[in-house]
Amino acid sequence: MRTLLALFSGLALAAQEPARLPERLLFVGEKAHAGRASEFTDFLQRHFASVAATTHEGFTAAAAKDADVVLLDWHTGEDWARARSPLGALDGWSKPVVLLGSAGLNTAIAWNVLGGFG
């Protein structure tokens, strides 16, 4: 009987969702890759306190105001598309950013920092 009770107690504990991390995330993705953005946000919502999403075109500084971390998903495109970051100018940026896809290269080019070649 104790073994059965221990088994059910273990199953009940395993079924509980783990605590979410307290960070608030903002996912900034491309309109053309809406499915990818949805998959990322669905996954992240299970692990973080708050997850919001917007597109490159819809991004504003106000959208990032309540976020602790911004995730930028940016695919390789035409060179002219790298001239301006969806996040705006580097000197106006202060939030931690996670760069997904080709966002490292594209952001380095747009912000004119090391990493835009090689």
Side-chain angles (χ1 to χ4, degrees):
M1 181 68 162
R2 269 188 228 190
T3 306
L4 190 57
L5 184 58
L7 175 64
F8 282 123
S9 296
L11 290 175
L13 288 174
Q16 294 176 355
E17 288 191 32
R20 292 183 176 160
L21 297 170
E23 287 78 17
R24 298 163 299 166
L25 308 181
L26 174 63
F27 183 91
V28 182
E30 295 172 278
K31 194 182 296 184
H33 298 280
R36 178 177 163 95
S38 178
E39 289 173 1
F40 264 104
T41 55
D42 289 347
F43 171 77
L44 294 168
Q45 285 172 340
R46 295 190 306 251
H47 302 285
F48 291 92
S50 172
V51 178
T54 188
T55 62
H56 288 201
E57 298 81 13
F59 176 81
T60 63
K65 181 182 175 202
D66 293 332
D68 297 312
V69 178
V70 173
L71 289 86
L72 175 61
D73 193 21
W74 193 2
H75 292 82
T76 303
E78 302 295 327
D79 286 340
W80 61 266
R82 298 180 190 164
R84 183 185 167 282
S85 170
L87 303 179
L90 172 61
D91 57 353
W93 192 253
S94 63
K95 297 256 181 200
V97 181
V98 175
L99 303 170
L100 305 167
S102 294
L105 171 66
N106 294 344
T107 300
I109 292 170
W111 284 352
N112 195 29
V113 297
L114 291 177
F117 56 87

